[in-house]
Amino acid sequence: MKAARIHQHGGVDALVYQDVPDPSLRPDHVLVRVRACALNHLDLFVRTGIPGIRIPLPRILGSDIAGEVRAAGKLCDRIKPGQRVLLSPGLSCRQCEQCLSGRDNLCRRYQVFGYHVDGGYAELVAAPEYSVIPIPDSLPFEEAAAVPLVFLTAWHMLMSRARLQPGEDVLVLAASSGVGSAAIQIARLFQCRIIATAGSEEKMAKARALGADHVIHHYQSDIAAEVKRVTDRRGVDVVVEHVGAATWQKSLDSMAPGARVVTCGATTGFDTRLDLRYLFSKQWSLLGSYMGGMGELHRVLKFVFRGQLKAVIDRTYPLAEVRVAHARLEQKEQFGKVVLTM
Ligand SMILES: [Zn+2]
């Protein structure tokens, strides 16, 4: 089959489009003919390498996968060849206390496609049957592939970690990102007032179209000052953080007493500071979030299958143009998801 792999970490040139052996089919696995695979910021981290984490190479990247079932192993009884499906990006042992309590993203053996195991930048991928989720015929593969990782992440952040309540004020950083565009829509479902940030006039208009009530130009305006102005000096109840060093202090400065900040990433750097006086006197909650449980994925997909939540697709590229696709994401040119087709 054709696949895009990395043999060493590096720039976009590290991605090699080549012939590789087809994956073998275990009895409890399903073989999926991949039709679309969405990019995530995680893909850039896996390609460039993550300090302190060893990734076995070569590796086929890609966590967000949709396609048709080509074959099902002997032990599979739910999934049948020919079904249109997407894959849960996260895999786990399914046997430990965390897994059995519905917190599989806390499993010590939690793995992500395209990171710990080979992913979807390929014509075929093998997946355990439990990770395979049928999709409606009306949902195009490109849209299905663009959903799982970012909607699962945003749902876990807002619902499970920050326990978002109807009508709250929410600040969503970087509306153009996958997580940002998903978080805006989820907060919209709960009738929240949404303040989003974006880096250009064009992206600001798209953020408004997606449901943001106020949009701040994060290169030209002071985020915290604008939030205070919009909220009558009170600040927001929840901040959706995934930017890190560049925005962390502004995120804290935007918080109301009793507010929660929830972070799932730090694309601009990991080192920040925290003035503990504000943490205790304002009774803030600082929350970390990583992926989400499979039960949460099924829950958020209900809204997607009904058309109440929808992935924002920036652009699609054939798999052979994977380097161009990575460059677009790396240079922050996109609004929404960049998707590979094959
Ligand atoms: Zn487990």
Side-chain angles (χ1 to χ4, degrees):
M1 67 170 178
K2 291 286 186 199
R5 296 200 291 194
I6 55 165
H7 294 261
Q8 75 244 335
H9 297 294
V12 294
D13 293 346
L15 291 158
V16 184
Y17 180 67
Q18 59 188 174
D19 288 308
V20 308
D22 289 359
S24 53
L25 182 61
R26 284 172 35 169
D28 58 341
H29 276 46
V30 166
L31 200 60
V32 174
R33 173 65 174 89
V34 183
R35 292 297 175 190
C37 182
L39 270 61
N40 289 287
H41 208 92
L42 175 64
D43 302 25
L44 305 185
F45 281 132
V46 173
R47 195 197 74 219
T48 57
I50 305 166
I53 294 176
R54 198 182 65 82
I55 297 168
L57 300 175
R59 172 63 73 230
I60 300 172
L61 275 56
S63 313
D64 269 335
I65 301 162
E68 299 139 350
V69 175
R70 171 69 61 84
K74 274 199 214 64
L75 296 178
C76 299
D77 52 12
R78 182 174 58 91
I79 299 297
K80 305 275 184 279
Q83 278 184 298
R84 303 172 80 255
V85 298
L86 61 78
L87 301 183
S88 160
L91 304 169
S92 67
C93 82
R94 320 273 295 163
Q95 299 182 37
C96 73
E97 182 186 349
Q98 300 290 11
C99 282
L100 295 173
S101 305
R103 296 186 293 262
D104 35 294
N105 52 330
L106 287 169
C107 175
R108 291 180 66 183
R109 290 167 62 193
Y110 191 73
Q111 296 186 314
V112 176
F113 275 115
Y115 178 9
H116 308 93
V117 296
D118 277 339
Y121 290 14
E123 289 174 323
L124 293 169
V125 65
E129 187 186 26
Y130 71 79
S131 69
V132 183
I133 301 174
I135 59 172
D137 288 341
S138 56
L139 189 66
F141 288 123
E142 293 83 356
E143 280 188 35
V147 166
L149 195 144
V150 290
F151 275 91
L152 173 63
T153 298
W155 185 271
H156 187 66
M157 291 173 84
L158 286 171
M159 295 295 118
S160 304
R161 301 297 285 138
R163 303 206 175 273
L164 183 69
Q165 301 298 307
E168 286 192 310
D169 286 336
V170 181
L171 170 62
V172 178
L173 294 178
S176 64
S177 65
V179 167
S181 59
I184 288 173
Q185 293 182 64
I186 292 168
R188 179 93 275 159
L189 277 184
F190 292 86
Q191 311 270 329
C192 291
R193 180 165 63 168
I194 301 152
I195 305 171
T197 81
S200 70
E201 294 292 339
E202 192 189 342
K203 289 180 176 181
M204 290 171 75
K206 288 181 178 175
R208 276 185 212 101
L210 209 52
D213 298 283
H214 300 273
V215 187
I216 300 168
H217 194 307
H218 57 220
Y219 298 127
Q220 290 178 2
S221 307
D222 181 317
I223 295 172
E226 277 298 299
V227 167
K228 289 291 172 67
R229 188 183 64 75
V230 170
T231 59
D232 206 11
R233 303 223 54 77
R234 179 177 167 271
V236 294
D237 301 294
V238 173
V239 180
V240 176
E241 244 295 345
H242 51 103
V243 180
T247 54
W248 181 253
Q249 188 57 50
K250 292 297 175 190
S251 291
L252 296 184
D253 292 344
S254 302
M255 288 165 69
R260 300 87 81 196
V261 57
V262 55
T263 177
C264 69
T267 52
T268 61
F270 307 119
D271 285 329
T272 58
R273 59 183 295 283
L274 175 66
D275 185 332
L276 290 172
R277 288 172 301 175
Y278 291 93
L279 179 65
F280 64 74
S281 68
K282 290 181 180 278
Q283 302 191 58
W284 285 339
S285 297
L286 310 184
L287 303 166
S289 190
Y290 179 67
M291 304 293 287
M294 260 201 87
E296 293 175 283
L297 179 59
H298 281 277
R299 185 165 300 180
V300 74
L301 284 175
K302 267 200 300 202
F303 293 96
V304 174
F305 295 164
R306 288 179 196 150
Q308 292 168 303
L309 295 172
K310 192 171 155 64
V312 179
I313 299 202
D314 172 68
R315 203 172 279 192
T316 64
Y317 296 91
L319 179 59
E321 291 176 31
V322 61
R323 291 177 178 178
V324 185
H326 264 237
R328 182 165 178 81
L329 188 59
E330 199 154 54
Q331 285 150 25
K332 298 182 167 55
E333 289 164 350
Q334 91 292 354
F335 189 101
K337 302 295 288 177
V338 176
V339 182
L340 297 169
T341 56
M342 57 286 284

